[in-house]
Amino acid sequence: MEEGTVFDIQRFSLHDGTGIRTIVFLKGCSLECMWCSNPESKSLDPQLFYWQKKCIACKACMDQCPQRALSWSEQGIACDRSLCTNCGDCCKTCYAEALVLRGRRMSVDEVFDEVLRDQLFYSLSGGGLTLSGGEPVAQPGFARALLQRAKQEGMNTAIETAGNYSLESLQAIDPFVDMYLFDVKHTDAEKHKRFTGKDNGLILKNLAWLADNKRNVIVRVPVIPGFNDDVGTLQSIVDLAIQLGIGQVSFLPYHEFGRNKYAALGQEYAYGKISGRVSLDLDAFNRTKGLLRTADLHINVGG
Amino acid sequence: MKKESVKLLRDEFFQKWVRSVDTERVEIVTESFFRHIGNPPVKQRALVLKDILEKMTIKIYDKEMFVGNQGRGKRGVPLFPEYGYKWILEQMDDFETRIGDKFKTTEEQKTILRNCLAKWVGYSMDDRTEAITPDPLREVLRFGVVKNENYKMSAPGHMSPDHERLIRRGLSSIISECREKLSELQQNELKYEGIEKTAFYEACIITCEAIIAFSERYADLAEHMAQAEKNTDRKADLLKIAAVCRNIPRNPAKTYHEALQFMWFTQLIMQIEGNGLAICMGRPDQTLLPYYEASLKDGMSREEALLLTEFFYLKCNEIDKVYSNDATRFMQGPSHGQCITLGGVDADGNDCTNDLSLLLLEADYEVRMVQPDIAVRITKNSPEAFLNEIGVCIKAGINKVKVFGDEVVVDSLKPLAPDEAANYSILGCSEPVICGRTNSWGNCGQINLTKCLELALNDGKCMLTGKQMGLHTGDLRNAVSFEDLKDAFEKQVNYFINHLAEYDSILEYCHKNYYPLPFYSIVTQDCIKAGVEFNAGGARYNTSSPLGVGAITAGDSLLAIKTLVFDEKKTTMPQVIEALEADFVGQEPLRQMLLNRAPKFGNDSDAADEMSNYVLHVYVDALGKHKNNRGGAFIGGLYYVTSYIPFGKTTAASADGRKSTMPLNDGGISPSHGMDKKGPTAIAKSVSKLDNADVMHGCVLNQRFHPSVFNGENSFQNFTSYLRGFARLDCFECQYNVVTTETLRKAQKNPESYRGLVVRVAGYSAYFTDLEPEIQEDIISRTEHLR
């Protein structure tokens, strides 16, 4: 039985594929997007979150830590991340759930114990399973097993993917995917590399393969200030979609909702500093969007 | 009749009219009641009603198409000294200033009230109840673990008048029926029963004639006003009103307009007679359909029908009630349970949703006021257009439509009414009753189930006051098994339900012997046929349903103790009981353990759902041991208006982690605040694991949705699929709130109660309360933007 690391299962999701869906979030990602709003999704392993607001200062965790990585500070519990092994022992006595281990090893059956609970709603609405992450294909065998199982159960399947992997990996999951929510962040390889750590070669190749094979694809563009929110870049993505015969592009406006997760992981959220902007100017974005030449392409904002 | 008038009347209702006390009825009744005192009570009451309908000030207000008011002014609210005068005398100075449900009361009115009310000593329901309540019961009632306030302040209400029969036959045919019955009686020797029945039929005739005359008064007034009216459109309207009031309620209705006006007179006079709460309007999409179709055939357009319905809805909002300060806390807001029920199956089990069902929803979308309340019955075959219209209303944030899983409701009614179960309508909150045939005694008292658990844990002693309120069920600090706790809990619940049933008997005795209801009897099938008055048990179906409050809080608390004390042994009974008594002061880690380390209802967790189902059965089984004086059963109802807040205030900390005096779970079976963490489908699954059909008066679930649920192209289909799924899972009832900024603000102030509120943005998800304040601000502004 395939096992993998899951960091969330979210029922009643409405905006990531058709109908009522359950999203299974897998850990691990091959990109290092500076603005990432799910920092806990990058690593393949479970990670310790500390939510200071929930902490009741009982300090029971401090004695639990085999590494002695926890101490008390003005900001509540301080975790020496160089010592922490993310073993999760400290969470056992943290009844307030200030310390929680994000990510858990699960088998396909365990995941489906939860996923199948909403089977009635999937069948009434045409919904099903959406894999997300991270990058679900960062755990290729597990992702494939989950999708395959979903198809066996008669569910609709969708995957949210950044597309940065080999064509073989894509072809391995492809028989079990009904819809791709496929991120295209930039058309310029160099800029892509600077902001995400990798160029876009594999991504564009995989996208082309999906288009050539007439797969059901929605191109998703996280609109990031200072990276791709200019009309030229967005137009180039739209043009690419048109050229590939893809019917829909969704713009996902930049947000900083993930910032508190960085704090909870003991990390700093740097993109706001780098870009010099704390939010996307929605009016400006809408003006930009109005300038795009979109032909028959269906454009929407949000999922 | 103009479309613009609807908006103007609506604005006027809020801006021009003030909720205020009207003393006219008090004056008329005080004089009339004592003048007719020699008669049998049923006839006396008919004569009093006749006096009111003859003497009360009537008015036709500018622009309105339906006529008939409760009091002077559109929001003038009458008082009912025959049911209670003491609380009015004691509290009338507060009416204008109290926190909820304020009513303007002038000094002049207070003088009138003082003079009139003094005469009621010994003659009112509250005095008569007081006189026969035994001391031990009085003592138990004082503890507030069980209550019954609303059956002391008014007639029983909680019924669905037989609009179908009335509108089809007209009151003149009812009069003929009563006359025939009287002549049959006169052919026999007049025995005791004959005396009673003669008085009853005479009372019914007096009542019908009085109502016809009341309508004629409006016809005269409309004609009179038409003569003076310069505006030709309005003149035509007034002549129309006159013609309608001339024909009905004496004769059967011929048109949609007449049928609606007939229905309004019936609703209104029910109120004037007895002030009952939750008098619903049945299934107007079925009842009114023949008249709607006939009028369409005669040339009325669909738009005209819609507009007429809007005028009708506006009128419905003029029903209002003044309650005592205490009762107001338990039943806040001017809704009063005047509900219409749409959709559902017919007697053959076929879905009978029709164009009128849609039109009645569309009218509500336009009017958007508290009344009428709207219930919809979802069947396997509910048309998509119907569900879409429901979605439109809910999305608009009207937050009113209540959704019922039709199959489970019909099933629940089968033990009561095997052949007529399909013909139910909803009244009040969630109570299904067979239209026109039921005396339901819905909401006849309430029991605080969470408090029963508190007493069970503490040998019957209140943890807040130290008073011995319940039975001595033993010191559970030494409990050896979870069964000991269950046993004590069951005993406490039974003990209090026994007392509540006893008190209900006393109230029933008074209603039957002193406050008979001729008009209720006219509008309820079998009363006239059998010659038995409504309060005496004349209705075909009779029930009593005291509500269970805090069932989920109790279930979650029980499971926390079972899991953490008895199964996992992470804590002990003495520790838990001590912490509850101390309201968790210095025991926050234990509180967090109870909160977070035992499953809670609403997350599709079998253990938690089964435990709440256990509490449901303890309560329903305890009720099942009692019968009311009308020969009917005591049945369950897990719904309550605002009582979970005042009941919470008198309940110590509970083992689910809830702090002392905080609210109990809301709705009836809604998950405890902030404890539902897996979204609406998981809640539906949890609810489906409760034996919904065993709670005949319904299980109420409140669900909140973030408006983003309705964003995106397929959002309606998703929502309607959810509704279908909810009904398919045999869930009884749900009402939806699309979350507003105000709620999000409250969530900011009180995050612990809103933990389950998920904000779903594409590709990213978060619990709202986990977000930083500035991000919450962002979401709030975005929400506004989306709307």
Side-chain angles (χ1 to χ4, degrees), chain B residues 389-405:
Chain B
E389 193 58 41
I390 295 166
V392 168
C393 290
I394 292 173
K395 181 190 177 182
I398 303 172
N399 293 338
K400 219 169 99 175
V401 178
K402 307 187 280 198
V403 175
F404 288 79

Side-chain angles (χ1 to χ4, degrees), chain A residues 237-252:
Chain A
I237 296 172
V238 166
D239 288 344
L240 175 68
I242 294 170
Q243 180 205 330
L244 290 173
I246 287 167
Q248 185 178 340
V249 170
S250 296
F251 291 119
L252 311 180

Side-chain angles (χ1 to χ4, degrees), chain A residues 9-24 112 114-131 146-147 149-151 153-159 176 178, chain B residues 681 718:
Chain A
I9 297 180
Q10 209 172 77
R11 292 161 70 172
F12 197 69
S13 293
L14 305 178
H15 303 298
D16 301 285
T18 58
I20 296 172
R21 314 188 68 84
T22 295
I23 308 185
V24 176
F112 272 78
E114 188 73 18
V115 171
L116 286 174
R117 286 175 172 264
D118 279 349
Q119 183 74 297
L120 172 68
F121 293 99
Y122 309 144
S123 67
L124 287 168
S125 67
L129 172 72
T130 297
L131 286 191
L146 291 172
L147 291 164
R149 173 72 184 274
K151 289 318 293 178
E153 301 285 354
M155 293 159 53
N156 179 285
T157 56
I159 183 165
F176 313 111
D178 294 319
Chain B
T681 51
N718 289 338

Side-chain angles (χ1 to χ4, degrees), chain A residues 8 10-20 25 37-38 51 53-54 56 58 91-97 99 102 114 116-121 123-126 132-133 160 220 248 252-261 263 279 282-283 286 298-300 302-303, chain B residues 570 588-590 592-594 596-597 603-606 677-685 689 705 708-715 717-719 721-726 728-729 755 758 760-766 768-776 778-779 782 785:
Chain A
D8 203 1
Q10 209 172 77
R11 292 161 70 172
F12 197 69
S13 293
L14 305 178
H15 303 298
D16 301 285
T18 58
I20 296 172
F25 292 87
S37 62
N38 278 339
W51 300 104
K53 274 196 298 180
K54 287 186 177 178
I56 56 169
C58 70
C91 307
K92 287 178 192 158
T93 52
C94 185
Y95 302 125
E97 302 195 326
L99 285 162
R102 198 72 166 154
E114 188 73 18
L116 286 174
R117 286 175 172 264
D118 279 349
Q119 183 74 297
L120 172 68
F121 293 99
S123 67
L124 287 168
S125 67
S132 182
E160 286 187 287
R220 284 186 159 186
Q248 185 178 340
L252 311 180
Y254 173 75
H255 58 74
E256 293 199 346
F257 302 153
R259 187 160 50 181
N260 58 339
K261 294 189 185 178
S279 62
L282 272 174
D283 291 337
N286 282 324
H298 183 67
I299 300 256
N300 71 336
Chain B
K570 283 197 173 132
E588 190 58 18
L590 176 58
Q592 293 293 336
M593 184 205 283
L594 294 165
N596 295 320
R597 294 295 158 93
N603 296 290
D604 199 1
S605 142
D606 292 349
K677 298 182 179 181
K678 291 190 174 178
T681 51
I683 295 172
K685 292 289 294 293
K689 284 180 248 174
F705 279 115
S708 71
V709 165
F710 290 99
N711 290 339
E713 283 137 50
N714 299 316
S715 62
Q717 204 232 320
N718 289 338
F719 186 71
S721 303
Y722 177 71
L723 294 185
R724 285 187 197 282
F726 185 80
R728 283 268 287 276
L729 285 168
R755 279 211 200 128
V758 176
R760 289 163 198 271
V761 192
Y764 178 81
S765 62
F768 182 76
T769 53
D770 280 350
L771 299 171
E772 289 178 9
E774 57 184 303
I775 296 169
Q776 291 179 343
D778 189 300
I779 301 250
R782 185 174 287 208
H785 183 68

Side-chain angles (χ1 to χ4, degrees), chain B residues 525-594:
Chain B
Q525 278 214 16
D526 287 8
C527 290
I528 289 179
K529 203 161 122 197
V532 181
E533 188 272 332
F534 183 84
N535 283 336
R540 189 172 303 171
Y541 305 110
N542 285 288
T543 57
S544 291
S545 86
L547 313 183
V549 181
I552 301 301
T553 307
D556 285 347
S557 301
L558 280 164
L559 185 62
I561 293 173
K562 177 178 183 291
T563 308
L564 299 165
V565 174
F566 293 103
D567 295 349
E568 296 176 7
K569 303 195 172 18
K570 283 197 173 132
T571 180
T572 64
M573 283 302 274
Q575 278 171 351
V576 171
I577 293 170
E578 205 176 289
L580 297 181
E581 283 179 331
D583 192 18
F584 297 113
V585 171
Q587 308 266 11
E588 190 58 18
L590 176 58
R591 188 175 92 87
Q592 293 293 336
M593 184 205 283
L594 294 165

Side-chain angles (χ1 to χ4, degrees), chain B residues 377-574:
Chain B
R377 296 171 50 172
I378 308 294
T379 72
K380 278 201 289 279
N381 301 315
S382 289
E384 194 62 21
F386 183 52
L387 292 185
N388 263 319
E389 193 58 41
I390 295 166
V392 168
C393 290
I394 292 173
K395 181 190 177 182
I398 303 172
N399 293 338
K400 219 169 99 175
V401 178
K402 307 187 280 198
V403 175
F404 288 79
D406 203 44
E407 251 172 272
V408 69
V409 178
V410 172
D411 280 352
S412 79
L413 288 167
K414 279 191 176 148
L416 179 72
D419 302 326
E420 296 187 296
N423 190 27
Y424 74 86
S425 67
I426 299 301
L427 59 82
C429 293
S430 68
E431 306 98 292
V433 295
I434 311 301
C435 292
R437 292 149 176 80
T438 311
N439 178 357
S440 82
W441 271 58
N443 194 0
C444 60
Q446 309 179 325
I447 173 166
N448 181 344
L449 294 166
T450 310
K451 186 79 185 179
C452 290
L453 180 59
E454 173 190 326
L455 298 174
L457 283 164
N458 203 30
D459 192 24
K461 263 208 300 294
C462 171
M463 289 187 185
L464 294 173
T465 61
K467 257 190 220 144
Q468 188 70 34
M469 291 186 173
L471 278 179
H472 282 289
T473 42
D475 184 357
L476 288 186
R477 284 167 182 80
N478 311 315
V480 288
S481 79
F482 182 59
E483 296 304 311
D484 294 348
L485 176 56
K486 278 167 85 174
D487 188 51
F489 175 61
E490 288 163 26
K491 282 183 181 144
Q492 298 291 354
V493 171
N494 275 281
Y495 174 78
F496 283 103
I497 281 183
N498 292 347
H499 284 91
L500 187 52
E502 187 188 349
Y503 187 51
D504 276 355
S505 298
I506 288 167
L507 295 169
E508 262 197 88
Y509 176 89
C510 291
H511 279 293
K512 178 185 165 187
N513 289 298
Y514 305 117
Y515 308 99
L517 295 161
F519 192 50
Y520 273 61
S521 308
I522 290 164
V523 304
T524 305
Q525 278 214 16
D526 287 8
C527 290
I528 289 179
K529 203 161 122 197
V532 181
E533 188 272 332
F534 183 84
N535 283 336
R540 189 172 303 171
Y541 305 110
N542 285 288
T543 57
S544 291
S545 86
L547 313 183
V549 181
I552 301 301
T553 307
D556 285 347
S557 301
L558 280 164
L559 185 62
I561 293 173
K562 177 178 183 291
T563 308
L564 299 165
V565 174
F566 293 103
D567 295 349
E568 296 176 7
K569 303 195 172 18
K570 283 197 173 132
T571 180
T572 64
M573 283 302 274

